[in-house]
Amino acid sequence: MTRAPSEKHALDSIANGTPTMYPWKFCVGAAMLLLIAPGSESRSHALRHYRDIASSETELEIKQSGLCVCIFDFDETLRVWKGENGDSPAPDGGAIVNKCRELGYEIAIASANCNTEKLQRVLPVVNDGVFRPSFFETVAFQNCDSWKTHQLNKILNYFGTKPECAMFFDDQGHNLDKHAKNVGVNGRHVRRDTGVTWKDFWHTKSEMEKRCNCGY
């Protein structure tokens, strides 16, 4: 992250008549400091406040904008074991997919599973409104590749968006520690017995919104 300008540097910019080299809030903060006696408690308080403003300003400058995407693994994320049935939809999965669409986010699958027939059979049970036959013909459907860096990058390129604007849910920790972090998406490790849950969704959405203005 870009470091906030030092007090001396900001004050010099005011004295030299070049305040436009910083965002206006920087210059207001520096001007406040000029009016307070050096070494005083008030000056120290003002300096801390000025640095807080500078920090928040630079954070806003690096926040990305783009189309947001919900990316799901398949096994133990949207598909879980329930009793004798190993192909049960995750209890919250279908509703979470709907919420992504309701918010205007795109949907994608990134799975290492090579049984394409099974994915085409089970995913419509999770959500038949999104996982239609046409979905499986798009780049948004990625499977049979354990190196998920490839899959994530293909999905981001397909939707023309940035990694900061994507959420990725997976039950395998190494997929998040290695691939999600490598690409830069907002990853979430889900429990294998429940698959993706509302807690996973809301937490990851909150983290994504710190880094991305969705839809802009």
Side-chain angles (χ1 to χ4, degrees):
M1 180 180 292
T2 306
R3 294 180 61 87
S6 67
E7 177 186 7
K8 181 179 185 301
H9 201 176
L11 289 172
D12 286 347
S13 75
I14 297 292
N16 295 332
T18 58
T20 53
M21 68 187 296
Y22 299 111
W24 70 271
K25 288 184 181 178
F26 290 177
C27 299
V28 170
M32 288 169 57
L33 291 170
L34 285 171
L35 303 176
I36 303 173
S40 69
E41 183 177 348
S42 296
R43 187 183 181 92
S44 297
H45 177 76
L47 179 57
R48 287 195 299 272
H49 178 66
Y50 160 69
R51 285 174 175 164
D52 288 343
I53 291 174
S55 177
S56 65
E57 190 77 17
T58 52
E59 286 178 5
L60 286 173
E61 288 175 357
I62 65 170
K63 191 171 182 179
Q64 300 294 329
S65 298
L67 180 67
C68 284
V69 185
C70 296
I71 307 172
F72 300 92
D73 176 38
F74 176 62
D75 296 298
E76 282 77 49
T77 300
L78 288 180
R79 161 192 176 265
V80 297
W81 279 87
K82 187 176 181 181
E84 298 297 320
N85 184 5
D87 291 333
S88 295
D92 295 338
I96 290 172
V97 171
N98 275 338
K99 175 57 73 173
C100 288
R101 291 302 297 271
E102 179 185 317
L103 293 169
Y105 303 167
E106 295 291 345
I107 311 295
I109 296 292
S111 173
N113 194 320
C114 290
N115 190 341
T116 303
E117 182 277 330
K118 174 173 282 193
L119 275 79
Q120 291 176 332
R121 174 170 50 83
V122 176
L123 284 172
V125 180
V126 175
N127 191 305
D128 60 359
V130 171
F131 300 119
R132 298 178 178 182
S134 58
F135 172 84
F136 299 99
E137 299 174 3
T138 70
V139 179
F141 175 63
Q142 294 290 318
N143 76 311
C144 205
D145 187 351
S146 61
W147 194 257
K148 295 205 174 182
T149 294
H150 296 160
Q151 295 182 327
L152 294 172
N153 279 325
K154 287 179 182 178
I155 290 166
L156 294 175
N157 289 336
Y158 175 66
F159 288 115
T161 195
K162 303 176 178 67
E164 293 87 348
C165 301
M167 297 187 280
F168 175 48
F169 302 96
D170 198 297
D171 68 297
Q172 296 291 332
H174 68 270
N175 286 335
L176 301 165
D177 295 336
K178 182 183 295 184
H179 303 292
K181 287 185 179 178
N182 181 46
V183 175
V185 299
N186 302 281
R188 176 72 172 182
H189 191 185
V190 307
R191 285 175 46 178
R192 304 188 72 186
D193 58 334
T194 63
V196 62
T197 65
W198 283 112
K199 180 179 179 181
D200 297 321
F201 174 77
W202 293 119
H203 173 84
T204 315
K205 177 178 180 291
S206 176
E207 292 300 305
M208 178 177 68
E209 288 174 344
K210 295 175 184 177
R211 307 174 66 204
C212 176
N213 292 310
C214 292
Y216 293 92

